[in-house]
């Protein structure tokens, strides 16, 4: 496993395409996950997520940070109380306890690398009160999917 | 700094292009480094390295692992006692205490993402005895640059 060839379209040898979330408690659509690197000696986990057109990642926040690079397509991301356009190779830091959600634009998938600490807290989902606060911003209200 | 746009050719907003090594004790040529993500809350450092045509990274090994993805060009990499061809988006694990060196092929730069633990040991350079052992393999002898 020292070398895994890229097979095209962000699929790799010996790297299964997984369900995005296993627990079934969060809301998301048309998104897959591949674990590119993890291991006992690694203090991080390197993942690739891909959101199909019309899909979205779960709206969530957590103590741990996300380090993200877009590697396929383009889209928009909610970070806190603002929605940003994101394109190929842009870098995104999702700070601690910041609401975030990724969505593709157009009819191509949005794919991104996401590095996290191996030891990290579980994501938190928005309460009804959190959603009310988020939706007080018109841009955010229009953007978010749950 | 939550969003840094890609400016083209693997350069990013607010992300300086740095000297590859600061200490001057290792042998390398025509290679730059950009730190894409690091921080007090991150247990990892995410770097981008770029080797110009004719250049090479230092021939070294260390206890910590490298998790690597090629994102620009193509090349070859020494991993232990074998030289492998590498192309766009290939994934490479450099295992603990494994001699490695990256070189581009052709006349385009080789650029790669490299994630390491924030806490890690310093690289070791080959001794004369190590080089003799490495060069016992004809492919390796032809490949390595020091």
């Amino acid at each position: 496993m020292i070398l895994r060839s890229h097979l095209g379209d962000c699929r790799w040898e010996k790297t299964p395409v997984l369900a995005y979330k296993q627990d079934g408690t969060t809301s998301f659509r048309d998104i897959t996950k591949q674990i590119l690197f993890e291991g006992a000696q690694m203090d991080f986990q390197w993942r690739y997520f891909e959101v199909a057109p019309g899909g979205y990642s779960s709206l969530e926040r957590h103590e741990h940070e996300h380090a993200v690079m877009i590697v396929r397509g383009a889209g928009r991301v909610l970070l806190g109380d603002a929605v940003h356009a994101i394109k190929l190779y842009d870098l995104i830091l999702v700070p601690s306890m910041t609401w975030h959600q990724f969505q593709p634009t157009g009819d191509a998938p949005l794919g991104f690398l996401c590095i996290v600490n191996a030891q990290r807290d579980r994501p938190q989902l928005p309460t009804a009160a959190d959603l009310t606060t988020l939706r007080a911003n018109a841009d955010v209200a229009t953007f978010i999917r749950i």
Side-chain angles (χ1 to χ4, degrees), chain A:
Chain A
M1 287 268 288
I2 59 172
L3 179 60
R4 281 169 290 153
S5 287
H6 180 240
L7 304 172
D9 290 340
C10 292
R11 298 293 182 268
W12 291 270
E13 284 186 311
K14 299 171 190 165
T15 307
V17 177
L18 306 172
Y20 170 57
K21 302 270 192 186
Q22 303 294 346
D23 61 11
T25 59
T26 64
S27 174
F28 55 87
R29 181 181 290 177
D30 292 336
I31 175 165
T32 59
K33 171 184 181 175
Q34 292 171 81
I35 298 173
L36 303 188
F37 293 97
E38 65 179 349
Q41 293 188 71
M42 289 184 185
D43 296 337
F44 57 90
Q45 189 186 55
W46 182 340
R47 300 90 53 87
Y48 171 76
F49 294 100
E50 190 170 285
V51 192
Y56 51 91
S57 65
S58 63
L59 173 61
E60 62 181 42
R61 68 178 182 181
H62 33 68
E63 293 285 349
H64 65 275
E65 297 176 314
H66 281 317
V68 170
M69 175 188 283
I70 307 302
V71 292
R72 188 173 191 191
R76 290 188 297 164
V77 61
L78 170 70
L79 289 170
D81 59 359
V83 178
H84 305 266
I86 45 178
K87 62 174 175 30
L88 204 60
Y89 299 126
D90 282 354
L91 303 174
I92 301 139
L93 171 67
V94 180
S96 185
M97 293 306 282
T98 301
W99 295 111
H100 56 283
Q101 182 172 61
F102 289 85
Q103 298 179 19
T105 47
D107 54 5
L110 172 69
F112 55 92
L113 307 176
C114 177
I115 318 286
V116 288
N117 291 344
Q119 300 291 328
R120 60 189 181 277
D121 62 317
R122 291 191 64 76
Q124 301 174 18
L125 303 179
T127 63
D130 292 327
L131 288 171
T132 299
T133 303
L134 282 162
R135 288 176 173 142
N137 178 310
D139 288 344
V140 175
T142 304
F143 179 76
I144 59 176
R145 306 277 299 276
I146 59 165

